[in-house]
Amino acid sequence: MGEVKLMKGNEALAEAMIRAGADGYFGYPITPQSEVLEYLAKESDKCIIKRTGMVVLQAESEVSAINMIYGGAAAGKRVMTTSSSPGMSLMQEGISYIAGAELPCLLANVSRGGPGLGTIQPSQSDYFQSCKGGGHGDYHMIVLAPSSVQEMVDFVKLGFELAEKYRTPAMILADGAIGQMMEKVELFDQMPRRTEFPEWAANGKPKDGPSRFVTSLNIKPELMEIINERLQAKYKEIAKNETLFETQNLDDAEYIFTGFGMGARICNKAMELARAKGYKVGTIRPKTIWPFPYDIYANVAKKVKGILDVEFNAGQMVEDVRLAVNGTCPVEFYGRMGGMIPSPEEIIEKFEEYFINGGK
Amino acid sequence: MSDIVCPENLVYKKPSTLKDAIMHYCPGCGHGVVHKLMMEVVEEMGIQNDIIGITPVGCSVFAYNYMDIDMEQAAHGRACALGTAVKRLYPEKYVFTYQGDGDLAAIGTCETMHAANRGEKMLTIFINNGIYGMTSGQMAPTTLEGAKTTTSPYGRDVETMGYPLRISELIANLPGVAYVTRQAVNTPANVRKCKKALKTALEYQKQGLGYCMVEVVSNCPSNNKCTPLEANKFVEEQMLPFYKLGDIKVPEGK
């Protein structure tokens, strides 16, 4: 059993980054994720983490931070940045380049309500931006959606592993609530920093091999199409191998509550309330929201009377749920926006309104 | 032929650090010259395996096709951010960015100023030809007052379009900056001086003195719609009176 601590989500994520053997962190302060950089700074001396030698640098902007990630990843190092919604918007150009150049790195969006400057309260309104390619061009990144402080730790390790396995950016899409709340976490032991680097990494021409260059550019459309086809094949492979979800009480379920991250956690509470009232409700929670677990929804839809999707937004993941279900059963949506969080009681009320009392 | 092509008759050769590739640059363009100078310096210092270059977006986006060293190709303007990370993660290696005036002095001003201000121990080669080359002749931040471009067709009006920007003088004011010099490649004498400046900057990097910038006032025959000779004359007569050559900042005691 690893070390157990009571930690804030953002600090647990920062501690996990050090323990995952990261080589560098480049970030810019923004609420509600500033504790990440603050925690790392406290662990540092002259911008170096004392325990491991990891580089920590406060960039001049999110634009610069994501391009530092690009530079570090292209040189073969394990690098990570974190931000919150407005800052993630600024990073989209860089993420597109990183996906195009096929570089592994880990990002975390401790998201807040938008659009615009919006609010600093928790929101899930960056689902589309994270899962559907927020920057230009046809690309995806692996998106992990934690619903506890424990998963803020576990997904750092998993995120780096997946990013490096597939040479692709990965993101932890959390929200301000998970970033700010404190929970008991079990930390994994310190992993060593790498001493050997991938053969594609541009970190000084090898004495016995050709020079390397990292680019997302290919001016010839015939070749750029081939690169795109390779990317799409990789995304298919990721979807086949790495889709993660969890379910509760599906065996006798007549209805499903579903959501991601904190939304899923509230759905589980709402399920308990519903069961106490005699409704046979189960839950589905995607742990990867890209790749999205379409199959579980398609299968469950054949057996249940309806699905209620709950999110802290105007209805984003519900589009994927509906794609999966493809009309097999009714799918209804309930969401709160702008930093507001739905309560389990509200969910029950909506569930009864939609499915028990004969619809809207 | 074999009695002519022999080592003792060799007066010039391309450095081994430059690939055998035909450059895409227009005839007379300064990029090819600066590429060659940098690669000569890398060869002479014996650092081909210890240097990482960052290429920009602009005419020199394909520099990695010519320089036989490890390179990363940045997004427009962001070279100094990439360079910062590479140097921080590999402090024992040499790092340089190679950027044009649009890349460095317009879209990338923020990244450049802050890398310089943090005193990142790397070199920026700043090619200033006063015009956007790759997108075919638009006004650059460095375009001279009154100069005609496709986006200042009646000449750059400084009251409405701003003034030509002397980045090197700005950067030189920052305490983290060790060495700033302005060079040119329009004459053989200037080419030799430029090479010396590049070597000096890399030596300062090795000594960990701080951020270094070598600005090279260059030309653009294609977009200024003139011959290579006329383009070099333009550099001499129009650019250099405004962009004065020489060291702007040198490390203390050097």
Side-chain angles (χ1 to χ4, degrees), chain A residues 23 55 57 60 63-64 67-68 70-72 74-75 77 97 202-206 211-215 217, chain B residues 19 48-49 52 61-62 64 68-73 75 78 81-82 84-86 88-90 93 111 114 118:
Chain A
D23 297 304
V55 169
L57 189 64
E60 63 272 23
V63 173
S64 193
N67 284 286
M68 289 174 180
Y70 179 34
K77 293 283 188 173
Y97 276 69
N203 61 355
K205 181 184 181 298
S211 54
R212 288 79 52 100
F213 61 87
V214 174
T215 184
L217 170 68
Chain B
K19 291 178 186 172
Q48 188 183 17
N49 307 112
I52 298 128
V61 65
F62 289 119
Y64 54 76
D68 194 11
I69 56 170
D70 275 10
M71 301 201 89
E72 301 181 0
Q73 193 272 307
R78 317 295 176 221
L82 277 74
T84 293
V86 177
R88 295 264 176 161
L89 291 161
Y90 292 95
K93 308 253 175 177
E111 285 77 7
H114 283 278
R118 284 190 303 266

Side-chain angles (χ1 to χ4, degrees), chain B residues 138-193:
Chain B
Q138 294 81 13
M139 183 176 68
T142 48
T143 296
L144 295 173
E145 182 174 356
K148 288 180 181 170
T149 71
T150 60
T151 51
S152 61
Y154 310 110
R156 180 175 191 159
D157 170 39
V158 294
E159 275 181 37
T160 53
M161 301 169 188
Y163 294 83
L165 188 53
R166 281 186 280 226
I167 281 282
S168 289
E169 280 81 353
L170 271 179
I171 293 273
N173 286 317
L174 304 172
V177 174
Y179 176 55
V180 184
T181 186
R182 187 180 284 120
Q183 303 292 328
V185 287
N186 62 323
T187 66
N190 282 344
V191 168
R192 279 195 290 274
K193 283 185 205 159

Side-chain angles (χ1 to χ4, degrees), chain A residues 132-145:
Chain A
K132 308 291 180 185
H136 59 284
D138 279 317
Y139 74 91
H140 284 291
M141 56 184 163
I142 296 167
V143 187
L144 303 162

Side-chain angles (χ1 to χ4, degrees), chain A residues 19-22 78 190-194:
Chain A
R19 289 181 183 234
R78 185 173 285 168
Q190 179 67 49
M191 293 162 64
R193 288 178 55 212
R194 284 184 302 184

